[in-house]
Amino acid sequence: MKVTENLKTIQQAINEACERANRKAQEIKIIAVTKYVSNERAEEAINAGIVHLGENRDDGLLEKWNFLKDKPVWHFIGTLQTRKVKNIIDKVDYIHSLDRLSLAEEIDKRANKQINCFVQVNVSGEESKQGIQLHEVRDFITQLEKYPNILVCGLMTMAPFTEEESILRSCFQKLKGLQTEIQQLRMDHAPCNELSMGMSNDFAIAIEEGATMIRIGTALVGNDE
Ligand SMILES: *Cc1c(COP(=O)(O)O)cnc(C)c1O
């Protein structure tokens, strides 16, 4: 399928989810996750009007970054090893996977400007999942104040692998609740206005529960590897 056709379908689903939730579709940004696809397919996404691209590995990001002439807004969405920060730091606009102080320290040290960071939260508490436990997030974000190059723009989560709507919904609701709690602290370094949640299979539910950035790979650009 052409990216333009997939995008039309997704946009329609976004509109419907927004209608159900009484939200405006312009509040939702689509991040095209290009980790499974070729440089050319990423370019096709940009030509289709996609502004935000996401990659989860440093080498994948660098390859597409070098290839694409029209520079998108770049999001790093995967586990980030501390020693790889220097490879990507001047190429990305957002990092979605801040989950430890050692990583914050390295980002702060290597960055030449303030970086928009999402704190990744392991809402479900599954062992296999990356991210900070819900009850630790507030303290963690408070401690990030000492890093001037880190701006906590929001919270990110990956929902559990399930089709069960009630489980997905409850996961997204918990992240939204935590966002509200953090916003009420009114910390200059943590406006926390964004919620990065929702992927190909669950973005409509995520939007109903307050997502502002959805990360879509398979349903938008495919996964041909
Ligand atoms: C791969 C990936 C996605 C996109 O997944 P799809 O199910 O293909 O839409 C979103 N977020 C993260 C963190 C990913 O690694």
Side-chain angles (χ1 to χ4, degrees):
M1 285 285 259
K2 290 210 175 88
V3 175
T4 47
E5 287 169 32
N6 292 336
L7 183 56
K8 223 182 266 174
T9 308
I10 290 166
Q11 201 70 63
Q12 183 63 34
I14 292 174
N15 290 344
E16 288 166 10
C18 281
E19 224 161 88
R20 289 194 292 275
N22 211 358
R23 300 185 62 195
K24 297 196 181 68
Q26 306 95 276
E27 293 172 23
I28 320 295
K29 295 189 182 76
I30 302 171
I31 302 169
V33 177
T34 52
K35 66 185 184 198
Y36 313 109
V37 299
S38 66
N39 292 336
E40 289 74 18
R41 188 71 166 168
E43 188 170 49
E44 187 190 336
I46 291 177
N47 292 338
I50 289 290
V51 177
H52 299 267
L53 287 196
E55 280 281 332
N56 69 338
R57 295 173 55 104
D58 66 325
D59 45 0
L61 187 133
L62 287 174
E63 194 191 319
K64 293 207 170 61
W65 193 91
N66 285 319
F67 177 83
L68 294 168
K69 289 175 289 294
D70 295 327
K71 298 294 178 206
V73 177
W74 273 112
H75 297 255
F76 192 87
I77 61 169
T79 308
L80 182 53
Q81 288 171 281
T82 306
R83 66 191 163 84
K84 300 213 162 147
V85 168
K86 60 179 182 303
N87 302 344
I88 59 142
I89 195 70
D90 58 348
K91 312 229 169 4
V92 298
D93 303 287
Y94 292 85
I95 293 174
H96 289 242
S97 45
L98 179 54
D99 63 356
R100 57 198 192 277
L101 284 176
S102 57
L103 180 59
E105 191 166 328
E106 180 70 6
I107 292 170
D108 185 62
K109 187 171 111 188
R110 299 282 180 179
N112 294 314
K113 59 169 200 272
Q114 213 173 35
I115 305 289
N116 295 301
C117 294
F118 286 87
V119 170
Q120 183 167 352
V121 185
N122 181 355
V123 176
S124 58
E126 289 170 283
E127 288 274 347
S128 60
K129 282 258 183 324
Q130 299 290 322
I132 296 181
Q133 303 291 314
L134 271 172
H135 68 274
E136 295 170 339
V137 171
R138 184 187 169 135
D139 260 7
F140 177 72
I141 291 182
T142 305
Q143 291 179 67
L144 294 175
E145 190 183 5
K146 59 176 178 278
Y147 304 113
N149 284 333
I150 298 218
L151 186 75
V152 181
C153 66
L155 304 178
M156 178 277 210
T157 199
M158 289 181 75
F161 274 116
T162 175
E163 302 266 290
E164 218 172 303
E165 188 179 317
S166 62
I167 294 176
L168 297 168
R169 204 173 282 286
S170 133
C171 168
F172 297 141
Q173 283 169 352
K174 284 179 187 157
L175 199 69
K176 175 71 191 180
L178 182 59
Q179 178 200 30
T180 305
E181 192 185 312
I182 301 295
Q183 285 176 319
Q184 281 165 354
L185 300 175
R186 299 188 173 281
M187 296 181 280
D188 285 339
H189 73 286
C192 212
N193 293 322
E194 308 283 351
L195 273 184
S196 168
M197 57 189 198
M199 314 190 347
S200 289
N201 292 324
D202 56 17
F203 71 87
I205 301 170
I207 289 170
E208 288 173 21
E209 301 303 338
T212 64
M213 291 191 176
I214 54 177
R215 311 177 308 267
I216 306 192
T218 310
L220 181 58
V221 292
N223 58 356
D224 43 46
E225 251 91 38

